[in-house]
Amino acid sequence: MAIVKDFLLQIPSMVACLGAVLFLLALYRLFFGSSSEEQGINPPGPRPLPLLGNILIMDLKRPYRTLCKLSKKYGSVFTMHFGPKKVIVLAGYKTVKEALVNQAQDFGDRDITPVFHDLNQGHGILFANGDSWKEMRRFAMTNLKEFGMGKKVSEEEILEEIAYLIEEIKKHEGKPFDTTKPVISAVSNIISVIVFGRRFEYTDPIFNDMMDRSIDSLRLTASTSIQIYNMFPWLGPWIKNLKYIKKNVVGAKADLMEIVRGLKETLNPQMSRGFVDSFLVRKQTLEESGNMDSLYHDDNLMFSVTNLFVAGSDTTGITLCWGLLLMAKYPHIQDKVQEEISRVKGSRQPLVEDRKNLPYTNAVIHETQRLASIVPMSIPHTTSRDITFQGYYIKKGTCVIPLLTSVLHDEGEWESPHTFNPAHFLDEQGRFIKKEAFMAFSAGRRVCLGESLARMELFLFFTSLMQHFHFSPPPGVTEDDLDLTPAVGFLLSPLPHQLCAVSRV
């Protein structure tokens, strides 16, 4: 009787336990289950836990590392679950190219995570879809070209800014300093001229606030807490980093409104000074014609300008910082670059047309972009319709991550993918060669809007700095001490460090 009594007393807890198990199974089925006709044709991947998905096996600070490791086990197309969200990961050059280039329409939409919705609210260019994205991208492309992107006028603006940057670096008189601020300031001024029609002094408070907020937000978006927020948006009110990001958004809009206000007051419809002027004229024209529901509103202006700054300054500036760090770490490569520049150009200012005559220098720039891989997971895409890809079924609206770092470090495409080797871009005669697997600017419908400008900036800034300075570690620090581990962030920048820039001329 005692045994029966004990059993009866345990029934409530057993029922509760069984109920919990059934509840979790139901959740698993709801979030991760698939119809019987889809079984066997979904991309493989690690088994997810209910609600948590594969979060427990992820390095949330550097998720691209986890995804690269998993691609070796599950192949070039595999499934991950970021919390309850299903994600398809594409790895390796051939697979990423097939998706983004050969099936560009199918993979061309943008997946907008909660944090990037908070940052852009569905407006602008980088984190938008549909008619608004198409119109803003088309308008941006047209006007960026009109204001000289990738043309001779841009080259002249870059050369002028290089002179300011050289003088700024000379102020340190060969003593250790952080290259990040002056380099990114210089690059930001190029997009400032195109967008606003003017450059800023490096000490300008609004200019500095804009850069600081941009860099801070990009860093915070990759933090562990924000990764958790993207998986479980209902946790938002308790995420401190989200509050900081939203504060940055408010501050950035206020700074931009201040600049735009000044441009409005001096606007001349017959003579646009930059992108903002063209946008304001278009907005005014549409409003005067009675079209009050156009896509040319203040939010699209604010976020388009913000996107152009991120795409046009942070990426290029960070790449240049990597280049200077790599030159300090590998002085024999820096010596070869400087010997080539001296032999070909002497003391004359390098120009874009010199690129073909500086193959080794050009190779070093490309190898810097390849090894740094500053946007390792690209910006997530989403499928525009139900598709079959490499034999796997992928539903419309599924998040897709083109793992760009797996392309730039593809062992089947690069002789030594994890080391700094400019020979990747040189033939046996030392001539520069293009590589199809060089996808530093992504590819397809969402390829970098300012690729031509970025290529011009990287070449002119890098060659000019190499011509004027020799970069080395601070006293007491050896080349081996320089750490190439990237900092945590949406864009992979070098860890905080200082270099010495000793004048060569």
Side-chain angles (χ1 to χ4, degrees), residues 5 55 84 113 137 194 234 260 290 311 362 396 434 479 498:
K5 183 177 180 181
I55 187 175
T113 58
R137 184 179 173 91
I194 293 174
W234 52 271
V260 170
N362 197 17
K396 175 182 179 180
K434 294 181 179 180
E479 286 86 5
Q498 292 189 328

Side-chain angles (χ1 to χ4, degrees), residues 351-364:
L351 304 174
V352 172
E353 64 187 29
D354 296 316
R355 188 181 302 167
K356 61 183 181 294
N357 299 318
L358 297 170
Y360 188 79
T361 302
N362 197 17
V364 167

Side-chain angles (χ1 to χ4, degrees), residues 194-214:
I194 293 174
V195 172
F196 302 123
R198 56 162 292 194
R199 69 176 297 277
F200 294 84
E201 296 296 328
Y202 296 163
T203 55
D204 187 286
I206 292 181
F207 183 57
N208 278 289
D209 283 348
M210 287 170 56
M211 288 191 298
D212 290 345
R213 289 194 182 99
S214 176

Side-chain angles (χ1 to χ4, degrees), residues 43-108:
R47 184 177 294 277
L49 295 172
L51 286 180
L52 295 178
N54 302 122
I55 187 175
L56 298 183
I57 65 171
M58 292 291 295
D59 178 351
L60 292 179
K61 289 185 177 180
R62 295 182 172 91
Y64 58 92
R65 290 184 176 177
T66 302
L67 299 182
C68 284
K69 289 179 181 178
L70 291 173
S71 71
K72 297 183 183 303
K73 179 177 181 180
Y74 294 104
S76 61
V77 183
F78 63 99
T79 303
M80 288 291 290
H81 290 87
F82 293 179
K85 183 176 182 177
K86 179 180 179 180
V87 175
I88 303 298
V89 181
L90 308 178
Y93 164 64
K94 292 179 180 178
T95 294
V96 172
K97 180 189 176 184
E98 183 180 350
L100 299 189
V101 178
N102 300 349
Q103 292 184 231
Q105 194 70 28
D106 296 337
F107 290 91

Side-chain angles (χ1 to χ4, degrees), residues 62 65 322 325-326 329 477-487 493-497:
R62 295 182 172 91
R65 290 184 176 177
W322 274 114
L325 176 61
L326 287 164
K329 187 170 182 67
V477 178
T478 68
E479 286 86 5
D480 291 339
D481 293 330
L482 295 178
D483 193 349
L484 298 183
T485 303
S493 60
L495 290 168
H497 65 280

Side-chain angles (χ1 to χ4, degrees), residues 38-329:
E38 292 174 17
Q39 291 292 344
I41 60 173
N42 286 313
R47 184 177 294 277
L49 295 172
L51 286 180
L52 295 178
N54 302 122
I55 187 175
L56 298 183
I57 65 171
M58 292 291 295
D59 178 351
L60 292 179
K61 289 185 177 180
R62 295 182 172 91
Y64 58 92
R65 290 184 176 177
T66 302
L67 299 182
C68 284
K69 289 179 181 178
L70 291 173
S71 71
K72 297 183 183 303
K73 179 177 181 180
Y74 294 104
S76 61
V77 183
F78 63 99
T79 303
M80 288 291 290
H81 290 87
F82 293 179
K85 183 176 182 177
K86 179 180 179 180
V87 175
I88 303 298
V89 181
L90 308 178
Y93 164 64
K94 292 179 180 178
T95 294
V96 172
K97 180 189 176 184
E98 183 180 350
L100 299 189
V101 178
N102 300 349
Q103 292 184 231
Q105 194 70 28
D106 296 337
F107 290 91
D109 285 348
R110 175 71 71 221
D111 182 78
I112 305 172
T113 58
V115 70
F116 285 123
H117 181 269
D118 293 336
L119 277 168
N120 294 266
Q121 300 168 25
H123 304 300
I125 304 167
L126 288 180
F127 303 96
N129 286 309
D131 292 339
S132 181
W133 167 71
K134 291 177 182 177
E135 182 62 19
M136 290 303 104
R137 184 179 173 91
R138 183 201 63 77
F139 183 80
M141 282 292 294
T142 300
N143 281 274
L144 291 181
K145 288 179 180 178
E146 180 180 339
F147 293 109
M149 184 180 72
K151 297 180 181 179
K152 188 68 177 178
V153 63
S154 285
E155 182 177 26
E156 292 170 358
E157 297 290 352
I158 294 168
L159 296 180
E160 180 182 340
E161 193 61 42
I162 284 171
Y164 287 111
L165 177 59
I166 288 172
E167 290 306 311
E168 186 68 20
I169 293 176
K170 283 182 177 179
K171 292 178 182 178
H172 295 281
E173 300 178 333
K175 298 175 182 177
F177 73 105
D178 185 345
T179 61
T180 306
K181 197 65 176 285
V183 167
I184 292 184
S185 295
V187 174
S188 295
N189 260 332
I190 305 304
I191 198 67
S192 293
V193 170
I194 293 174
V195 172
F196 302 123
R198 56 162 292 194
R199 69 176 297 277
F200 294 84
E201 296 296 328
Y202 296 163
T203 55
D204 187 286
I206 292 181
F207 183 57
N208 278 289
D209 283 348
M210 287 170 56
M211 288 191 298
D212 290 345
R213 289 194 182 99
S214 176
I215 293 171
D216 190 47
S217 292
L218 287 172
R219 177 184 60 82
L220 292 173
T221 55
S223 64
T224 299
S225 61
I226 294 299
Q227 300 303 312
I228 297 295
Y229 167 65
N230 283 335
M231 299 177 197
F232 308 104
W234 52 271
L235 290 174
W238 295 277
I239 305 287
K240 285 186 178 180
N241 281 348
L242 182 62
K243 295 177 182 178
Y244 296 145
I245 288 174
K246 290 183 175 180
K247 182 180 178 181
N248 281 342
V249 171
V250 172
K253 288 186 71 173
D255 287 341
L256 283 172
M257 286 299 294
E258 182 65 25
I259 296 173
V260 170
R261 188 179 299 112
L263 292 172
K264 280 182 177 179
E265 293 172 354
T266 55
L267 183 64
N268 180 358
Q270 307 304 319
M271 189 178 67
S272 290
R273 293 158 293 188
F275 174 85
V276 172
D277 277 9
S278 294
F279 194 103
L280 292 172
V281 170
R282 184 65 178 273
K283 179 175 180 286
Q284 181 177 310
T285 301
L286 289 169
E287 289 175 351
E288 289 174 352
S289 67
N291 187 345
M292 305 304 293
D293 297 319
S294 81
L295 296 170
Y296 291 84
H297 48 71
D298 287 345
D299 282 335
N300 258 337
L301 173 59
M302 293 298 109
F303 291 110
S304 292
V305 169
T306 301
N307 293 166
L308 289 172
F309 260 88
V310 171
S313 59
D314 291 346
T315 52
T316 304
I318 288 172
T319 302
L320 282 169
C321 288
W322 274 114
L324 300 181
L325 176 61
L326 287 164
M327 292 302 93
K329 187 170 182 67

